[in-house]
Amino acid sequence: MREILIVGGGYAGFYTAWGLEKKLRPDEARVTVVDPRPYMTYQPFLPEVTAGSVEARHAAVSLRRHLRTTRVVAGSVTEIRHADRTVTVRPADGPAYDLSYDTLVVTAGAVTRTFPIPGLAQQAIGLKHVEEAVAIRDRLLTAFDQAASMLPGAERRELLTVTFVGGGFAGVEGFGELLSLATAMLKAYPELSFEELSFHLVEARDRILPEVSDKPGAWVVRSLERRGAHVHLNTQLVSAEGGRVVLSSGEEFDSGLIVWTAGNAANPVVHRHTDLPIDDRGLVQVRADLRVVAGGEPLAHVWAAGDDAAVPDLASPVPGTRTVPNAQHAVRQGKRLAKNILADLRGGKVRDYRHSSLGAIATLGLGQGIFQYKRIVVKGFLAWLMHRGYHVLAVPTWERKVRVLTVWLTAALFGRDLVSLAAVQHPRDAFVTGGEGARSEHAVDGVAAR
């Protein structure tokens, strides 16, 4: 029986495995997915997870539950040696081991791109995984609880200051959702005022949301600023040491929460630990049919898709254009990949991946959104409804669709849940201390302790 090994269980990997197990005959091939997380993260829901509009577990699709005949290996692929048709897997516990394959699918996904900025690694949180989104929400809720018990002053201002670095979709959506949550929470905290909130969005370019055109992007900036936000364009983060944000514009302020969303980088196993052909950006070189190609010739039974693959964009009029790394392409590439692998196994014809954009849509907080398809632009509440409608249809499995809709309907009736569970990140503290020193320096990374 042929062994089909899929490196990565994100969008492209999940949809490839899902498509294969629906069509493969029982004795035709065995599919194995290797990923350190036993679930696929539906990343468009992460901004709403930070705001409590979507439950954290509803943004995660269990691989074991929904891939019923696929073998799921919880571990990280640390090396791909195609010359030996072998990968090295490092589990969370125990020694590393090798897995062999007949057909290889590389869908490892991108990682957060960072820079050697002083204090960044110690202070910032990313927004690529469910755990990060939950931590961001709990830290904001905990900061409100702590600030409400303090007298007005520098420490209170720091707790109520939030900084997002990166003006792409993840940054703008997360920023808008968290701003919406913070503004709504003031009703429950009469000790705090709107003027004490300080939300900063930092972007190195002269505009945000590069996927939309200039005028809609400028409208988003004005919309955020009308809601009290500070948007810093043409500005870079210089330092974040000790929570002190220093910007290239010369502005400085203390920030209790710093979120880094400034772009993606190729997965290290693809960029540095493989003998597969990669380009100068560290992406696997593939043809339009998603076969990995070396020297202009395809490698037999090796495929790649998603954020780590340089997939030609056949829908673009500009020669040499590659598909952008987003959920739309990853999902559809995964579906095409499953069909092409089946066709290849059965001696059929494989087809090129071609997909035109469905447009760009973003949530900017409860009741606020932006949508653009070519010259059609929709703003405000209608765009927000379109965002929710699109993503509840796009999230895989009916089980997840129903769970998300239920949470939305519940929130519409009773509002968002404002309970902070920040202590779950340090579950043994209460047990170890026996209740002594209940004041937690962990809650907001030492802000309270200072």
Side-chain angles (χ1 to χ4, degrees):
M1 185 181 295
R2 292 190 66 84
E3 292 284 347
I4 301 175
L5 180 63
I6 301 175
V7 179
Y11 290 116
F14 174 81
Y15 276 95
T16 300
W18 208 20
L20 284 171
E21 72 172 27
K22 290 176 181 178
K23 299 293 184 180
L24 281 170
R25 295 186 293 269
D27 60 345
E28 193 171 14
R30 182 171 71 163
V31 180
T32 299
V33 174
V34 182
D35 196 285
R37 291 177 170 82
Y39 55 82
M40 184 206 81
T41 301
Y42 191 73
Q43 291 185 350
F45 278 158
L46 293 187
E48 293 198 66
V49 171
T50 67
S53 298
V54 171
E55 287 296 323
R57 285 180 173 83
H58 299 170
V61 179
S62 170
L63 298 180
R64 294 185 183 275
R65 177 171 182 175
H66 298 290
L67 299 178
R68 300 184 184 276
T69 62
T70 298
R71 181 173 61 150
V72 177
V73 176
S76 300
V77 172
T78 58
E79 186 177 7
I80 299 172
R81 300 182 301 280
H82 182 61
D84 301 327
R85 292 184 179 263
T86 302
V87 303
T88 299
V89 178
R90 185 183 65 221
D93 294 303
Y97 57 90
D98 291 343
L99 288 177
S100 299
Y101 61 83
D102 299 298
T103 297
L104 177 67
V105 180
V106 181
T107 54
V111 298
T112 301
R113 179 185 63 185
T114 58
F115 299 98
I117 297 171
L120 179 66
Q122 293 75 30
Q123 299 294 328
I125 302 177
L127 187 52
K128 185 171 284 293
H129 302 293
V130 174
E131 297 88 345
E132 293 171 325
V134 172
I136 290 168
R137 178 173 183 263
D138 282 343
R139 284 184 59 179
L140 181 71
L141 294 175
T142 302
F144 265 66
D145 286 334
Q146 292 183 341
S149 66
M150 291 180 175
L151 295 174
E155 285 191 357
R156 184 153 131 171
R157 286 195 303 273
E158 180 179 356
L159 285 167
L160 300 176
T161 299
V162 175
T163 305
F164 272 67
V165 183
F169 263 86
V172 171
E173 289 190 310
F175 182 80
E177 285 287 347
L178 213 62
L179 175 60
S180 175
L181 173 63
T183 304
M185 284 171 59
L186 289 173
K187 297 177 183 178
Y189 291 86
E191 305 91 340
L192 307 178
S193 66
F194 177 78
E195 289 71 25
E196 291 180 284
L197 293 181
S198 186
F199 273 67
H200 298 263
L201 177 62
V202 180
E203 170 53 46
R205 292 167 292 189
D206 62 354
R207 50 164 300 171
I208 61 175
L209 294 179
E211 292 87 350
V212 304
S213 55
D214 290 346
K215 287 186 178 180
W219 177 85
V220 172
V221 171
R222 294 195 301 272
S223 174
L224 293 173
E225 290 178 337
R226 283 195 298 269
R227 292 160 57 190
H230 307 277
V231 181
H232 308 266
L233 301 179
N234 292 312
T235 305
Q236 296 178 349
L237 177 67
V238 175
S239 175
E241 287 188 297
R244 181 72 175 177
V245 172
V246 180
L247 303 179
S248 59
S249 62
E251 188 171 355
E252 297 186 23
F253 51 87
D254 293 317
S255 184
L257 176 58
I258 301 172
V259 183
W260 179 270
T261 63
N264 297 323
N267 193 295
V269 70
V270 173
H271 192 190
R272 295 191 292 271
H273 305 295
T274 180
D275 56 358
L276 295 176
I278 60 174
D279 66 10
D280 55 0
R281 296 174 298 167
L283 305 180
V284 181
Q285 297 181 15
V286 299
R287 301 194 314 187
D289 61 6
L290 306 178
R291 290 181 186 269
V292 175
V293 61
E297 294 297 323
L299 297 178
H301 310 302
V302 189
W303 312 78
D307 293 354
D308 281 324
V311 181
D313 189 352
L314 300 184
S316 173
V318 181
T321 302
R322 307 296 181 185
T323 57
V324 297
N326 63 21
Q328 278 190 39
H329 284 298
V331 169
R332 287 159 180 81
Q333 286 170 12
K335 293 178 178 179
R336 169 48 53 197
L337 198 48
K339 294 176 181 177
N340 280 356
I341 292 172
L342 283 166
D344 183 56
L345 289 176
R346 297 169 181 174
K349 181 180 180 181
V350 301
R351 300 183 182 276
D352 289 343
Y353 171 75
R354 180 189 293 269
H355 172 68
S356 298
S357 173
L358 299 176
I361 191 165
T363 174
L364 306 174
L366 196 63
Q368 296 289 327
I370 181 77
F371 167 77
Q372 181 175 12
Y373 176 70
K374 296 182 178 179
R375 295 186 179 182
I376 300 173
V377 178
V378 181
K379 307 171 184 175
F381 184 73
L382 179 57
W384 176 77
L385 284 178
M386 293 169 65
H387 177 274
R388 287 205 158 181
Y390 171 78
H391 284 299
V392 80
L393 290 174
V395 67
T397 80
W398 279 103
E399 175 256 345
R400 277 295 177 264
K401 299 179 197 294
V402 171
R403 288 184 186 275
V404 171
L405 276 173
T406 301
V407 172
W408 283 343
L409 291 173
T410 304
L413 291 173
F414 303 108
R416 288 179 286 206
D417 198 329
L418 301 183
V419 176
S420 169
L421 298 177
V424 77
Q425 298 169 44
H426 306 277
R428 298 184 66 252
D429 281 4
F431 173 75
V432 171
T433 63
E436 294 287 344
R439 183 185 183 188
S440 175
E441 69 273 18
H442 297 303
V444 193
D445 272 6
V447 173
R450 293 200 301 273

PDB file of all heavy atoms in Angstrom, residues 405-430:
ATOM      1  N   LEU A 405     -22.345  29.602  15.054  1.00  0.00           N
ATOM      2  CA  LEU A 405     -23.620  30.321  14.970  1.00  0.00           C
ATOM      3  C   LEU A 405     -24.297  30.403  16.331  1.00  0.00           C
ATOM      4  O   LEU A 405     -24.877  31.432  16.691  1.00  0.00           O
ATOM      5  CB  LEU A 405     -24.548  29.628  13.972  1.00  0.00           C
ATOM      6  CG  LEU A 405     -24.355  29.992  12.503  1.00  0.00           C
ATOM      7  CD1 LEU A 405     -25.230  29.102  11.626  1.00  0.00           C
ATOM      8  CD2 LEU A 405     -24.693  31.457  12.259  1.00  0.00           C
ATOM      9  N   THR A 406     -24.217  29.327  17.113  1.00  0.00           N
ATOM     10  CA  THR A 406     -24.834  29.319  18.441  1.00  0.00           C
ATOM     11  C   THR A 406     -24.202  30.361  19.349  1.00  0.00           C
ATOM     12  O   THR A 406     -24.899  31.083  20.079  1.00  0.00           O
ATOM     13  CB  THR A 406     -24.705  27.921  19.078  1.00  0.00           C
ATOM     14  OG1 THR A 406     -25.347  26.958  18.236  1.00  0.00           O
ATOM     15  CG2 THR A 406     -25.348  27.893  20.450  1.00  0.00           C
ATOM     16  N   VAL A 407     -22.882  30.471  19.306  1.00  0.00           N
ATOM     17  CA  VAL A 407     -22.196  31.469  20.133  1.00  0.00           C
ATOM     18  C   VAL A 407     -22.580  32.878  19.700  1.00  0.00           C
ATOM     19  O   VAL A 407     -22.829  33.760  20.536  1.00  0.00           O
ATOM     20  CB  VAL A 407     -20.669  31.277  20.054  1.00  0.00           C
ATOM     21  CG1 VAL A 407     -19.951  32.428  20.750  1.00  0.00           C
ATOM     22  CG2 VAL A 407     -20.263  29.963  20.697  1.00  0.00           C
ATOM     23  N   TRP A 408     -22.638  33.110  18.398  1.00  0.00           N
ATOM     24  CA  TRP A 408     -23.028  34.431  17.902  1.00  0.00           C
ATOM     25  C   TRP A 408     -24.438  34.806  18.348  1.00  0.00           C
ATOM     26  O   TRP A 408     -24.696  35.939  18.764  1.00  0.00           O
ATOM     27  CB  TRP A 408     -22.919  34.471  16.381  1.00  0.00           C
ATOM     28  CG  TRP A 408     -21.508  34.614  15.890  1.00  0.00           C
ATOM     29  CD1 TRP A 408     -20.425  35.027  16.598  1.00  0.00           C
ATOM     30  CD2 TRP A 408     -21.030  34.357  14.569  1.00  0.00           C
ATOM     31  NE1 TRP A 408     -19.300  35.042  15.813  1.00  0.00           N
ATOM     32  CE2 TRP A 408     -19.643  34.633  14.562  1.00  0.00           C
ATOM     33  CE3 TRP A 408     -21.632  33.905  13.390  1.00  0.00           C
ATOM     34  CZ2 TRP A 408     -18.861  34.487  13.423  1.00  0.00           C
ATOM     35  CZ3 TRP A 408     -20.855  33.760  12.251  1.00  0.00           C
ATOM     36  CH2 TRP A 408     -19.485  34.047  12.266  1.00  0.00           C
ATOM     37  N   LEU A 409     -25.368  33.862  18.243  1.00  0.00           N
ATOM     38  CA  LEU A 409     -26.741  34.139  18.645  1.00  0.00           C
ATOM     39  C   LEU A 409     -26.839  34.390  20.148  1.00  0.00           C
ATOM     40  O   LEU A 409     -27.564  35.284  20.601  1.00  0.00           O
ATOM     41  CB  LEU A 409     -27.641  32.969  18.242  1.00  0.00           C
ATOM     42  CG  LEU A 409     -27.860  32.781  16.732  1.00  0.00           C
ATOM     43  CD1 LEU A 409     -28.629  31.495  16.461  1.00  0.00           C
ATOM     44  CD2 LEU A 409     -28.592  33.972  16.138  1.00  0.00           C
ATOM     45  N   THR A 410     -26.103  33.616  20.926  1.00  0.00           N
ATOM     46  CA  THR A 410     -26.088  33.811  22.377  1.00  0.00           C
ATOM     47  C   THR A 410     -25.534  35.181  22.741  1.00  0.00           C
ATOM     48  O   THR A 410     -26.076  35.883  23.610  1.00  0.00           O
ATOM     49  CB  THR A 410     -25.250  32.716  23.059  1.00  0.00           C
ATOM     50  OG1 THR A 410     -25.762  31.440  22.693  1.00  0.00           O
ATOM     51  CG2 THR A 410     -25.294  32.870  24.568  1.00  0.00           C
ATOM     52  N   ALA A 411     -24.450  35.581  22.057  1.00  0.00           N
ATOM     53  CA  ALA A 411     -23.847  36.895  22.322  1.00  0.00           C
ATOM     54  C   ALA A 411     -24.797  38.025  21.935  1.00  0.00           C
ATOM     55  O   ALA A 411     -24.834  39.071  22.589  1.00  0.00           O
ATOM     56  CB  ALA A 411     -22.532  37.018  21.572  1.00  0.00           C
ATOM     57  N   ALA A 412     -25.572  37.818  20.866  1.00  0.00           N
ATOM     58  CA  ALA A 412     -26.530  38.848  20.446  1.00  0.00           C
ATOM     59  C   ALA A 412     -27.608  39.063  21.499  1.00  0.00           C
ATOM     60  O   ALA A 412     -28.108  40.177  21.686  1.00  0.00           O
ATOM     61  CB  ALA A 412     -27.153  38.451  19.113  1.00  0.00           C
ATOM     62  N   LEU A 413     -27.968  37.982  22.223  1.00  0.00           N
ATOM     63  CA  LEU A 413     -29.005  38.079  23.247  1.00  0.00           C
ATOM     64  C   LEU A 413     -28.462  38.565  24.582  1.00  0.00           C
ATOM     65  O   LEU A 413     -29.091  39.389  25.262  1.00  0.00           O
ATOM     66  CB  LEU A 413     -29.664  36.707  23.441  1.00  0.00           C
ATOM     67  CG  LEU A 413     -30.534  36.201  22.282  1.00  0.00           C
ATOM     68  CD1 LEU A 413     -30.979  34.772  22.551  1.00  0.00           C
ATOM     69  CD2 LEU A 413     -31.742  37.112  22.078  1.00  0.00           C
ATOM     70  N   PHE A 414     -27.285  38.076  24.974  1.00  0.00           N
ATOM     71  CA  PHE A 414     -26.786  38.332  26.327  1.00  0.00           C
ATOM     72  C   PHE A 414     -25.474  39.108  26.377  1.00  0.00           C
ATOM     73  O   PHE A 414     -24.985  39.412  27.469  1.00  0.00           O
ATOM     74  CB  PHE A 414     -26.590  36.999  27.068  1.00  0.00           C
ATOM     75  CG  PHE A 414     -27.841  36.161  27.131  1.00  0.00           C
ATOM     76  CD1 PHE A 414     -27.961  35.009  26.383  1.00  0.00           C
ATOM     77  CD2 PHE A 414     -28.904  36.549  27.935  1.00  0.00           C
ATOM     78  CE1 PHE A 414     -29.106  34.238  26.428  1.00  0.00           C
ATOM     79  CE2 PHE A 414     -30.064  35.784  28.004  1.00  0.00           C
ATOM     80  CZ  PHE A 414     -30.169  34.630  27.241  1.00  0.00           C
ATOM     81  N   GLY A 415     -24.883  39.410  25.237  1.00  0.00           N
ATOM     82  CA  GLY A 415     -23.607  40.102  25.217  1.00  0.00           C
ATOM     83  C   GLY A 415     -22.446  39.138  25.359  1.00  0.00           C
ATOM     84  O   GLY A 415     -22.636  37.930  25.594  1.00  0.00           O
ATOM     85  N   ARG A 416     -21.217  39.660  25.224  1.00  0.00           N
ATOM     86  CA  ARG A 416     -20.029  38.821  25.307  1.00  0.00           C
ATOM     87  C   ARG A 416     -19.675  38.507  26.756  1.00  0.00           C
ATOM     88  O   ARG A 416     -19.919  39.310  27.647  1.00  0.00           O
ATOM     89  CB  ARG A 416     -18.850  39.510  24.612  1.00  0.00           C
ATOM     90  CG  ARG A 416     -18.972  39.530  23.115  1.00  0.00           C
ATOM     91  CD  ARG A 416     -17.814  40.243  22.454  1.00  0.00           C
ATOM     92  NE  ARG A 416     -17.882  41.681  22.604  1.00  0.00           N
ATOM     93  CZ  ARG A 416     -17.325  42.550  21.763  1.00  0.00           C
ATOM     94  NH1 ARG A 416     -16.666  42.108  20.719  1.00  0.00           N
ATOM     95  NH2 ARG A 416     -17.407  43.836  21.966  1.00  0.00           N
ATOM     96  N   ASP A 417     -19.097  37.341  26.949  1.00  0.00           N
ATOM     97  CA  ASP A 417     -18.660  36.922  28.277  1.00  0.00           C
ATOM     98  C   ASP A 417     -17.373  37.661  28.629  1.00  0.00           C
ATOM     99  O   ASP A 417     -16.402  37.638  27.872  1.00  0.00           O
ATOM    100  CB  ASP A 417     -18.407  35.410  28.277  1.00  0.00           C
ATOM    101  CG  ASP A 417     -18.375  34.827  29.683  1.00  0.00           C
ATOM    102  OD1 ASP A 417     -17.961  35.572  30.597  1.00  0.00           O
ATOM    103  OD2 ASP A 417     -18.755  33.670  29.846  1.00  0.00           O
ATOM    104  N   LEU A 418     -17.357  38.312  29.800  1.00  0.00           N
ATOM    105  CA  LEU A 418     -16.221  39.142  30.191  1.00  0.00           C
ATOM    106  C   LEU A 418     -15.377  38.507  31.296  1.00  0.00           C
ATOM    107  O   LEU A 418     -14.651  39.200  32.001  1.00  0.00           O
ATOM    108  CB  LEU A 418     -16.710  40.524  30.649  1.00  0.00           C
ATOM    109  CG  LEU A 418     -17.504  41.337  29.617  1.00  0.00           C
ATOM    110  CD1 LEU A 418     -17.853  42.705  30.185  1.00  0.00           C
ATOM    111  CD2 LEU A 418     -16.726  41.486  28.324  1.00  0.00           C
ATOM    112  N   VAL A 419     -15.465  37.201  31.462  1.00  0.00           N
ATOM    113  CA  VAL A 419     -14.699  36.528  32.518  1.00  0.00           C
ATOM    114  C   VAL A 419     -13.283  36.238  32.023  1.00  0.00           C
ATOM    115  O   VAL A 419     -13.097  35.642  30.965  1.00  0.00           O
ATOM    116  CB  VAL A 419     -15.385  35.215  32.935  1.00  0.00           C
ATOM    117  CG1 VAL A 419     -14.524  34.485  33.975  1.00  0.00           C
ATOM    118  CG2 VAL A 419     -16.765  35.498  33.489  1.00  0.00           C
ATOM    119  N   SER A 420     -12.298  36.657  32.810  1.00  0.00           N
ATOM    120  CA  SER A 420     -10.908  36.380  32.486  1.00  0.00           C
ATOM    121  C   SER A 420     -10.459  35.088  33.149  1.00  0.00           C
ATOM    122  O   SER A 420     -10.712  34.869  34.332  1.00  0.00           O
ATOM    123  CB  SER A 420     -10.002  37.519  32.965  1.00  0.00           C
ATOM    124  OG  SER A 420      -8.646  37.138  32.872  1.00  0.00           O
ATOM    125  N   LEU A 421      -9.791  34.230  32.373  1.00  0.00           N
ATOM    126  CA  LEU A 421      -9.225  32.988  32.898  1.00  0.00           C
ATOM    127  C   LEU A 421      -7.712  32.987  32.710  1.00  0.00           C
ATOM    128  O   LEU A 421      -7.116  31.977  32.347  1.00  0.00           O
ATOM    129  CB  LEU A 421      -9.852  31.783  32.203  1.00  0.00           C
ATOM    130  CG  LEU A 421     -11.359  31.601  32.396  1.00  0.00           C
ATOM    131  CD1 LEU A 421     -11.859  30.410  31.594  1.00  0.00           C
ATOM    132  CD2 LEU A 421     -11.704  31.416  33.873  1.00  0.00           C
ATOM    133  N   ALA A 422      -7.089  34.126  32.966  1.00  0.00           N
ATOM    134  CA  ALA A 422      -5.648  34.243  32.746  1.00  0.00           C
ATOM    135  C   ALA A 422      -4.861  33.260  33.607  1.00  0.00           C
ATOM    136  O   ALA A 422      -3.786  32.810  33.232  1.00  0.00           O
ATOM    137  CB  ALA A 422      -5.188  35.673  33.031  1.00  0.00           C
ATOM    138  N   ALA A 423      -5.409  32.889  34.772  1.00  0.00           N
ATOM    139  CA  ALA A 423      -4.692  31.979  35.659  1.00  0.00           C
ATOM    140  C   ALA A 423      -4.516  30.598  35.052  1.00  0.00           C
ATOM    141  O   ALA A 423      -3.681  29.822  35.520  1.00  0.00           O
ATOM    142  CB  ALA A 423      -5.425  31.861  36.997  1.00  0.00           C
ATOM    143  N   VAL A 424      -5.280  30.282  34.001  1.00  0.00           N
ATOM    144  CA  VAL A 424      -5.142  28.961  33.381  1.00  0.00           C
ATOM    145  C   VAL A 424      -3.759  28.793  32.749  1.00  0.00           C
ATOM    146  O   VAL A 424      -3.296  27.674  32.539  1.00  0.00           O
ATOM    147  CB  VAL A 424      -6.252  28.753  32.321  1.00  0.00           C
ATOM    148  CG1 VAL A 424      -5.949  29.517  31.034  1.00  0.00           C
ATOM    149  CG2 VAL A 424      -6.436  27.263  32.006  1.00  0.00           C
ATOM    150  N   GLN A 425      -3.085  29.901  32.475  1.00  0.00           N
ATOM    151  CA  GLN A 425      -1.740  29.829  31.922  1.00  0.00           C
ATOM    152  C   GLN A 425      -0.711  29.433  32.979  1.00  0.00           C
ATOM    153  O   GLN A 425       0.414  29.064  32.640  1.00  0.00           O
ATOM    154  CB  GLN A 425      -1.373  31.179  31.298  1.00  0.00           C
ATOM    155  CG  GLN A 425      -2.285  31.571  30.142  1.00  0.00           C
ATOM    156  CD  GLN A 425      -2.081  33.006  29.701  1.00  0.00           C
ATOM    157  OE1 GLN A 425      -0.951  33.459  29.581  1.00  0.00           O
ATOM    158  NE2 GLN A 425      -3.164  33.723  29.463  1.00  0.00           N
ATOM    159  N   HIS A 426      -1.103  29.507  34.238  1.00  0.00           N
ATOM    160  CA  HIS A 426      -0.227  29.087  35.350  1.00  0.00           C
ATOM    161  C   HIS A 426      -1.105  28.305  36.337  1.00  0.00           C
ATOM    162  O   HIS A 426      -1.340  28.760  37.464  1.00  0.00           O
ATOM    163  CB  HIS A 426       0.413  30.306  36.029  1.00  0.00           C
ATOM    164  CG  HIS A 426       1.144  31.194  35.077  1.00  0.00           C
ATOM    165  ND1 HIS A 426       2.426  30.947  34.667  1.00  0.00           N
ATOM    166  CD2 HIS A 426       0.749  32.316  34.430  1.00  0.00           C
ATOM    167  CE1 HIS A 426       2.806  31.885  33.815  1.00  0.00           C
ATOM    168  NE2 HIS A 426       1.802  32.719  33.651  1.00  0.00           N
ATOM    169  N   PRO A 427      -1.592  27.122  35.947  1.00  0.00           N
ATOM    170  CA  PRO A 427      -2.625  26.448  36.740  1.00  0.00           C
ATOM    171  C   PRO A 427      -2.175  25.965  38.113  1.00  0.00           C
ATOM    172  O   PRO A 427      -3.017  25.716  38.967  1.00  0.00           O
ATOM    173  CB  PRO A 427      -3.011  25.258  35.843  1.00  0.00           C
ATOM    174  CG  PRO A 427      -1.796  25.002  35.000  1.00  0.00           C
ATOM    175  CD  PRO A 427      -1.203  26.361  34.747  1.00  0.00           C
ATOM    176  N   ARG A 428      -0.870  25.841  38.349  1.00  0.00           N
ATOM    177  CA  ARG A 428      -0.394  25.291  39.622  1.00  0.00           C
ATOM    178  C   ARG A 428      -0.119  26.362  40.674  1.00  0.00           C
ATOM    179  O   ARG A 428       0.185  26.039  41.821  1.00  0.00           O
ATOM    180  CB  ARG A 428       0.865  24.456  39.405  1.00  0.00           C
ATOM    181  CG  ARG A 428       0.646  23.248  38.505  1.00  0.00           C
ATOM    182  CD  ARG A 428       1.899  22.380  38.397  1.00  0.00           C
ATOM    183  NE  ARG A 428       2.233  21.755  39.674  1.00  0.00           N
ATOM    184  CZ  ARG A 428       3.246  22.100  40.439  1.00  0.00           C
ATOM    185  NH1 ARG A 428       4.058  23.084  40.069  1.00  0.00           N
ATOM    186  NH2 ARG A 428       3.492  21.471  41.581  1.00  0.00           N
ATOM    187  N   ASP A 429      -0.244  27.651  40.301  1.00  0.00           N
ATOM    188  CA  ASP A 429       0.109  28.710  41.249  1.00  0.00           C
ATOM    189  C   ASP A 429      -0.701  28.615  42.542  1.00  0.00           C
ATOM    190  O   ASP A 429      -0.153  28.663  43.650  1.00  0.00           O
ATOM    191  CB  ASP A 429      -0.095  30.078  40.605  1.00  0.00           C
ATOM    192  CG  ASP A 429       1.055  30.448  39.679  1.00  0.00           C
ATOM    193  OD1 ASP A 429       1.958  29.596  39.505  1.00  0.00           O
ATOM    194  OD2 ASP A 429       1.049  31.556  39.133  1.00  0.00           O
ATOM    195  N   ALA A 430      -2.030  28.503  42.416  1.00  0.00           N
ATOM    196  CA  ALA A 430      -2.876  28.473  43.612  1.00  0.00           C
ATOM    197  C   ALA A 430      -2.591  27.235  44.445  1.00  0.00           C
ATOM    198  O   ALA A 430      -2.584  27.278  45.686  1.00  0.00           O
ATOM    199  CB  ALA A 430      -4.343  28.517  43.212  1.00  0.00           C
TER     200      ALA A 430
END
